[in-house]
Amino acid sequence: MTESVLDGRNAIVTGAGAGIGRATALRLATGGARVLVADLDAEAAENVAGEIRASGGTALTVAGDLSHQEVADEVVSAATEGLGGIDILVNNAGIMDDLSATADVSDAVWERLLRVDLTAPFLLTRAALPAMLEQGRGSIVFTASEASLRGSASGTAYTVAKHGLVGLVRSTAVMYRERGIRANAVAPGGTATSISVDPTGSPAGPTALGNYAANIGRVAEPSELAAAIAFLASDAASNISGAILPVDNGWSAV
Ligand SMILES: NC(=O)c1ccc[n+]([C@@H]2O[C@H](COP(=O)([O-])OP(=O)(O)OC[C@H]3O[C@@H](n4cnc5c(N)ncnc54)[C@H](O)[C@@H]3O)[C@@H](O)[C@H]2O)c1
């Protein structure tokens, strides 16, 4: 992909304070995009925006919990008013569950996982679409998961939330395909970020998943996910919509 593919594009990246989101924000900025860095962690968001500005790029931040509509609305306002529009939306922010199996999933884990990993991307997509539709162009990329593709990559709540994202990607891709909007997802396998759970935290987790963990393969660097997200976000992927792209060193092929 040439650097100019993203020149002048306005991009929102959620969960951009760390891990895959941070790598994506930096990658899009390097490609010439102006970036709205959104994260729960205000200091982390400022640090990433500072990195982008130090390299000559343009970045703004919004700090807050994206599972609330008012934070999603603030992100959209900041992008439209502060950057000048929304060409790219990367719905990346997410949390892990405690690897609990169906009978052991607490109400708290279920509600929070569905809220952060599924409802939040929906809220922001819904809020951002009018600006994209007005300009007749928009690329939305979701960070799904190996757990979007199979039942053996995490606990039940995370697996359900990430499977739900696949529906959001496909429905959005179909509903807006005649209006210049593309929606896709990457499905990371194991990736070296700070997202983690204590595997001893839930007796149902390691027991149920232990036999499958051997298939995970090489753990990816966040930059490897960022490269795939930047591709899907760009015009280089102009005829790709509704795709769920595994970035997992072949785990999903096992
Ligand atoms: N790391 C992996 O192995 C892996 C594998 C598959 C999928 N994923 C997915 O990749 C995405 C990014 O995860 P990561 O590994 O980079 O994790 P990470 O913990 O390094 O980064 C996630 C970022 O999202 C932010 N965040 C969390 N909840 C938020 C909320 N409610 N509102 C706003 N920001 C919030 C965090 O503050 C953090 O900066 C997630 O959707 C995750 O499910 C990760």
Side-chain angles (χ1 to χ4, degrees):
M1 190 180 71
T2 58
E3 298 296 356
S4 61
V5 171
L6 296 167
D7 246 352
R9 296 296 163 91
N10 298 311
I12 295 168
V13 184
T14 72
I20 296 168
R22 173 180 172 273
T24 300
L26 296 176
R27 171 100 190 191
L28 295 179
T30 302
R34 293 181 282 267
V35 183
L36 191 291
V37 174
D39 203 287
L40 192 56
D41 183 333
E43 193 182 338
E46 275 308 328
N47 287 342
V48 173
E51 284 186 76
I52 291 171
R53 290 184 202 117
S55 306
T58 301
L60 300 175
T61 63
V62 170
D65 183 342
L66 286 155
S67 69
H68 299 297
Q69 184 69 63
E70 56 270 26
V71 177
D73 291 343
E74 191 186 338
V75 168
V76 168
S77 300
T80 51
E81 290 159 26
L83 298 180
I86 307 170
D87 303 301
I88 294 165
L89 167 59
V90 182
N91 274 305
N92 166 78
I95 53 174
M96 273 287 283
D97 66 4
D98 57 358
L99 302 184
S100 51
T102 308
D104 303 304
V105 178
S106 68
D107 285 352
V109 166
W110 179 263
E111 301 293 346
R112 188 65 185 155
L113 257 293
L114 271 287
R115 191 80 203 162
V116 174
D117 286 5
L118 182 56
T119 301
F122 159 69
L123 295 178
L124 186 54
T125 302
R126 183 175 64 178
L129 269 168
M132 291 180 160
L133 289 168
E134 200 179 315
Q135 64 188 19
R137 183 182 74 198
S139 178
I140 308 168
V141 185
F142 297 81
T143 304
S145 171
E146 195 74 22
S148 298
L149 310 174
R150 57 177 70 236
S152 58
S154 190
T156 299
Y158 185 87
T159 301
V160 170
K162 291 294 188 179
H163 269 67
L165 267 189
V166 174
L168 183 57
V169 169
R170 290 184 175 146
S171 180
T172 304
V174 170
M175 296 286 196
Y176 297 99
R177 64 185 291 200
E178 312 295 347
R179 301 174 70 185
I181 308 296
R182 295 186 297 107
N184 293 290
V186 293
T191 309
T193 71
S194 54
I195 203 170
S196 64
V197 291
D198 176 359
T200 61
S202 163
T207 309
L209 298 175
N211 292 340
Y212 302 101
N215 291 325
I216 192 169
R218 181 176 67 78
V219 172
E221 291 302 320
S223 61
E224 296 180 284
L225 272 304
I229 292 170
F231 163 67
L232 290 172
S234 77
D235 288 350
S238 56
N239 199 36
I240 302 177
S241 194
I244 314 296
L245 177 64
V247 184
D248 64 357
N249 193 30
W251 185 9
S252 56
V254 176

